[in-house]
């Protein structure tokens, strides 16, 4: 049962790698203009490009061989876990990504913790008193928050907190206060959704007969929540966490660009700008595989929380 | 973003709720503004008059001017038309693709089903923004690229829903009776599948359109989307951000436009739950 689920995830990882390969291959094919010129521009700046620089780049990267050869070579490299070399910085893609991944994971980690502190507790509270003022208020707030795209949330926070109030810096990296605003931007969007999920799951559990029985036999609210509530909404929350990861990754791409956070999303936008295909490939591959690994972990965790075995 | 939300919305439909009515009304108002403006106040959204930069409203530009002296009302309407058209086109094509593949997977079962499910799970693993970004690097026309990229992102939700619902419905006695009586696949789809699928698909479509509009604006905001001078909501916000002190109202306009549009679509989608 569990091995079958993991086998499926393995197949999924392979298809993800193939998809990324095909997409980047198409991207390479369709590049408008002379690839060598663009890369030379990315390396030396637009004012410094001439035919000699472009020719040097072309010879160095083997851009004159047919694209399908490039595709096969990439697949071969990938099988040896070699992601190639960034055509702009000239450094190995793996080294670049490892550096950026640290920054992104830092940001994402803080955001997940923040959103876990905001969303589910509010949702559980609202779910225990379904229909009350908190419940209705939360519905309105979360509906409003969900209608604010993440880049807009970032913009609002920059204008309010950083420019008007001057409490926190709008951009930068390296100090604890730099992570606050981008993380909060991500966290608010996620909390808006996770609060709703927690609320619905909690309201459903609280309406079940065993919950009424627990109250009737004299357990306090706190005991009920610990013994019967949290574990029962656990599976819904954990399954939902992996969905949130997609939102997180999408958010990271935008939020990092806005706040100038030197992470993987920021790098991805730049790589696509500069047509740095190996970097795009490497980054996309990492994001896709990260999602697959997370899904596999979700499968396992859901089984741990509720060993009764819900078919995946 | 809301791609994932759709899976959480249950189906039982019993006529439109108040929230859905409100959503439909807001959406109609936004569309009426987007398409009505050029009829009422015909101004070219690209016309510059630098003397009017950041000036307040007048008869030619009831919402005021941006930093290059272009009518904000005309630009806002044009940007909304662009977003709404791309979103609608992507939702429709994704819906056709997703429903067709979903029915196919559930109907044929076996390898067809397994391969399609694996493919959809794998596409799901790649963030939607990434897909749209890569496709927009491949296809030179950005509007077309958005349409293709968004279709590739949005079809999955339809596929998963259709596949699950169809597998359940095909096992029901009604369908088996129809098939025993010799009715064809098209009849079974129209008579048995479509009535069950349609209300669910509306939810997915509304969430999908909201996702599309957010992605278009997000890419405009990081300056990789629609190229200027063609007006786009996210790009308008970036352009107007430096002037937020002098002309806060100018910056607020695209913000309100996108908030209302997405709120309307969310209300339309989840209304029947509340």
């Amino acid at each position: 049962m569990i091995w079958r689920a993991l086998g499926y995830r393995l197949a999924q990882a392979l298809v993800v790698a193939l998809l990324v390969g095909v997409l980047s291959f198409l991207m390479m094919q369709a590049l408008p203009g002379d690839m060598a010129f663009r890369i030379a521009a990315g390396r030396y700046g637009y004012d410094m490009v001439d035919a000699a620089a472009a020719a040097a780049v072309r010879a160095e990267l083997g851009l004159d061989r047919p694209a399908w050869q490039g595709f096969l070579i990439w697949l071969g490299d990938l099988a040896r876990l070699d992601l190639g070399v960034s055509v702009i910085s000239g450094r190995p893609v793996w080294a670049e990504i490892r550096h950026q991944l640290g920054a992104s994971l830092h940001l994402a980690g803080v955001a997940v913790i923040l959103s876990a502190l905001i969303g589910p507790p509010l949702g559980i509270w609202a779910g225990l008193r379904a229909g009350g003022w908190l419940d209705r208020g939360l519905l309105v707030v979360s509906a409003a928050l969900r209608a604010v795209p993440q880049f807009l949330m970032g913009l609002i926070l920059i204008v309010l907190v950083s420019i008007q109030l001057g409490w926190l810096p709008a951009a930068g990296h390296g100090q604890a206060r730099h992570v606050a605003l981008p993380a909060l931007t991500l966290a608010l969007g996620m909390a808006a959704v996770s609060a709703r999920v927690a609320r619905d799951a909690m309201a459903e559990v609280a309406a079940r007969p065993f919950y009424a029985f627990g109250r009737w036999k004299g357990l306090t609210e706190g005991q009920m929540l610990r013994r019967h509530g949290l574990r029962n909404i656990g599976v819904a929350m954990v399954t939902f966490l992996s969905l949130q990861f997609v939102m997180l990754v999408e958010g990271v791409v935008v939020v990092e660009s806005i706040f100038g956070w030197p992470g993987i999303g920021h790098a991805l936008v730049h790589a696509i700008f500069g047509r740095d295909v190996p970097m795009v490939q490497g980054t996309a591959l990492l994001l896709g595989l990260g999602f697959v690994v997370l899904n596999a972990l979700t499968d396992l965790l859901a089984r741990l929380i509720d060993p009764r075995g819900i078919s995946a | 973003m809301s791609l994932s939300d759709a899976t959480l919305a249950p189906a039982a439909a019993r006529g439109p709720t108040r929230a859905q009515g409100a959503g439909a009304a807001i959406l109609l108002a936004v569309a009426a503004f987007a398409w009505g403006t050029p009829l009422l106040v015909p101004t070219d959204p690209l016309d510059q008059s630098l003397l009017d930069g950041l000036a307040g409203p007048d008869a030619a530009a009831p919402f005021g001017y941006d930093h290059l002296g272009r009518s904000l009302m005309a630009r806002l309407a044009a940007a909304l038309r662009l977003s709404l058209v791309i979103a609608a086109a992507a939702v429709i094509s994704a819906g056709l693709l997703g429903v067709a593949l979903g029915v196919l997977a559930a109907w044929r079962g076996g390898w067809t089903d397994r391969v399609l499910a694996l493919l959809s799970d794998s596409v799901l693993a790649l963030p939607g923004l990434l897909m749209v970004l890569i496709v927009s690097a491949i296809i030179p026309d950005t509007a077309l690229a958005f349409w293709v990229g968004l279709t590739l992102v949005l079809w999955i939700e339809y596929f998963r829903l259709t596949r699950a619902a169809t597998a359940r419905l095909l096992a029901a006695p009604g369908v088996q009776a129809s098939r025993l009586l010799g009715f064809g696949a098209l009849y079974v789809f129209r008579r048995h599948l479509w009535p069950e699928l349609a209300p669910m698909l509306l939810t997915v479509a509304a969430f999908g359109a909201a996702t599309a509009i957010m992605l278009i604006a997000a890419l405009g905001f990081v300056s990789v989307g629609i190229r200027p001078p063609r007006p786009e909501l996210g790009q308008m916000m970036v352009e107007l951000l430096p002037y937020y002190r002098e002309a806060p109202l100018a910056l607020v306009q695209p913000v309100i436009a996108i908030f209302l549009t997405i709120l309307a679509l969310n209300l339309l989608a989840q209304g029947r739950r509340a």
Side-chain angles (χ1 to χ4, degrees):
Chain A
M1 195 62 190
I2 200 89
W3 291 113
R4 226 183 121 178
L6 290 181
Y8 182 77
R9 294 297 174 201
L10 192 68
Q12 194 188 350
L14 289 178
V15 176
V16 165
L18 208 62
L19 272 178
V20 170
V22 171
L23 275 176
S24 343
F25 173 70
L26 287 175
M27 186 174 159
M28 185 102 91
Q29 287 288 289
L31 285 180
D34 189 333
M35 176 95 172
F37 266 98
R38 294 197 73 117
I39 294 169
R43 278 192 191 176
Y44 312 119
Y46 275 95
D47 301 334
M48 310 293 282
V49 182
D50 51 23
V57 167
R58 196 189 317 273
E60 182 198 325
L61 300 173
L63 290 177
D64 31 14
R65 70 173 165 241
W68 63 267
Q69 274 184 23
F71 180 59
L72 288 184
I73 291 172
W74 181 79
L75 277 186
D77 286 346
L78 185 67
R80 288 182 282 118
L81 293 179
D82 177 2
L83 291 173
V85 173
S86 160
V87 295
I88 290 180
S89 71
R91 296 179 52 205
V93 170
W94 182 235
E96 296 256 345
I97 290 181
R98 201 169 43 195
H99 179 65
Q100 294 145 358
L101 188 64
S104 282
L105 286 179
H106 176 203
L107 174 60
V110 177
V112 166
I113 293 171
L114 266 180
S115 100
L117 289 178
I118 303 170
L122 275 175
I124 289 171
W125 190 13
L128 285 173
R129 292 164 183 74
W133 62 268
L134 183 84
D135 190 21
R136 276 173 297 169
L138 197 66
L139 179 68
V140 172
V141 171
S142 81
L145 277 182
R146 280 158 86 167
V148 177
Q150 247 151 356
F151 71 90
L152 189 52
M153 182 78 75
L155 183 69
I156 293 170
L157 285 178
I158 288 180
V159 169
L160 282 184
V161 180
S162 160
I163 305 183
Q164 291 291 356
L165 299 171
W167 285 351
L168 290 164
H173 175 249
Q175 286 167 324
R177 63 206 177 97
H178 287 135
V179 80
L181 278 190
L184 190 64
T185 307
L186 288 168
L188 282 178
M190 289 192 291
V193 187
S194 66
R196 290 302 298 163
V197 174
R199 183 256 168 220
D200 288 350
M202 193 66 233
E204 205 208 312
V205 170
R208 297 262 188 85
F210 69 78
Y211 220 78
F213 176 71
R215 279 208 184 108
W216 176 73
K217 75 181 179 190
L219 294 182
T220 64
E221 280 295 319
Q223 286 172 322
M224 285 301 302
L225 189 62
R226 272 196 306 280
R227 293 192 198 162
H228 301 290
L230 293 182
R231 205 177 177 95
N232 271 300
I233 66 169
V235 175
M237 291 311 294
V238 163
T239 313
F240 176 72
L241 269 181
S242 67
L243 286 177
Q244 279 219 311
F245 184 74
V246 179
M247 295 174 54
L248 190 63
V249 170
E250 279 174 359
V252 153
V253 174
V254 175
V255 169
E256 283 183 353
S257 293
I258 295 171
F259 289 95
W261 189 261
I264 213 159
H266 190 62
L268 183 66
V269 171
H270 272 263
I272 289 186
F273 250 141
R275 301 299 190 269
D276 190 348
V277 175
M279 272 301 286
V280 175
Q281 273 178 335
T283 317
L285 192 70
L286 196 80
L287 291 178
L289 292 185
F291 179 79
V292 175
V293 168
L294 202 88
N295 265 335
L297 289 179
T298 314
D299 293 348
L300 290 173
L301 200 57
R303 217 166 289 266
L304 271 180
I305 293 179
D306 190 346
R308 286 174 297 183
I310 294 163
S311 61
Chain B
M1 294 185 198
S2 339
L3 246 191
S4 47
D5 300 349
T7 46
L8 307 168
R14 230 180 288 112
T17 61
R18 239 171 51 199
Q20 276 181 313
I26 300 174
L27 195 62
L28 274 180
V30 169
F33 169 76
W35 273 276
T37 299
L39 302 175
L40 293 176
V41 190
T43 321
D44 186 343
L46 303 185
D47 262 357
Q48 303 184 3
S49 60
L50 291 174
L51 287 178
D52 290 329
L54 298 177
D58 61 22
F63 286 8
Y65 294 90
D66 75 355
H67 57 297
L68 296 177
R70 297 173 292 195
S71 161
L72 274 170
M73 188 181 185
R75 285 179 70 71
L76 206 57
L80 278 170
R81 284 199 298 275
L82 183 74
S83 290
L84 289 173
V85 166
I86 295 178
V91 162
I92 291 171
S93 54
L96 290 176
L97 186 68
V99 171
L101 290 179
V103 172
L104 181 75
W107 202 295
R108 297 290 296 273
W111 277 107
T112 321
D113 186 36
R114 254 170 280 170
V115 168
L116 283 173
L118 184 62
L119 183 71
S120 79
D121 277 355
S122 307
V123 178
L124 191 66
L126 297 172
L129 201 67
L130 179 74
M131 299 279 281
V132 178
L133 264 173
I134 292 183
V135 173
S136 65
I138 296 175
I139 302 178
D141 178 354
T142 11
L144 190 69
F146 270 123
W147 176 59
V148 174
L150 287 168
T151 305
L152 288 179
V153 173
L154 295 176
W155 70 275
I156 298 169
E157 213 62 49
Y158 294 94
F159 169 78
R160 288 156 68 102
L161 250 177
T162 309
R163 174 170 169 259
T166 305
R168 179 171 51 80
L169 291 169
L170 284 185
V175 173
Q176 303 202 329
S178 279
R179 290 170 92 174
L180 282 176
L181 286 170
F183 286 112
L186 207 61
Y187 176 87
V188 171
F189 179 77
R190 267 212 323 265
R191 193 80 186 79
H192 295 281
L193 299 182
W194 183 246
E196 291 276 332
L197 288 174
M200 286 192 259
L201 295 183
L202 175 73
T203 305
V204 182
F207 273 130
T211 307
I213 286 172
M214 280 204 205
L215 287 181
I216 295 170
L219 288 180
F221 196 81
V222 291
S223 310
V224 276
I226 304 288
R227 311 256 190 286
R230 199 171 179 186
E232 192 281 328
L233 292 172
Q235 172 210 318
M236 283 175 76
M237 288 180 220
V238 185
E239 288 176 354
L240 293 167
L241 185 57
Y243 310 101
Y244 88 100
R245 255 184 231 277
E246 297 125 272
L249 283 179
L251 175 60
V252 163
Q253 286 174 27
V255 170
I256 291 179
I258 199 162
F259 176 77
L260 281 182
T261 312
I262 293 174
L263 183 69
L265 288 166
N266 280 351
L267 286 175
L268 206 57
Q270 61 178 171
R272 64 173 60 98
R273 192 145 58 113

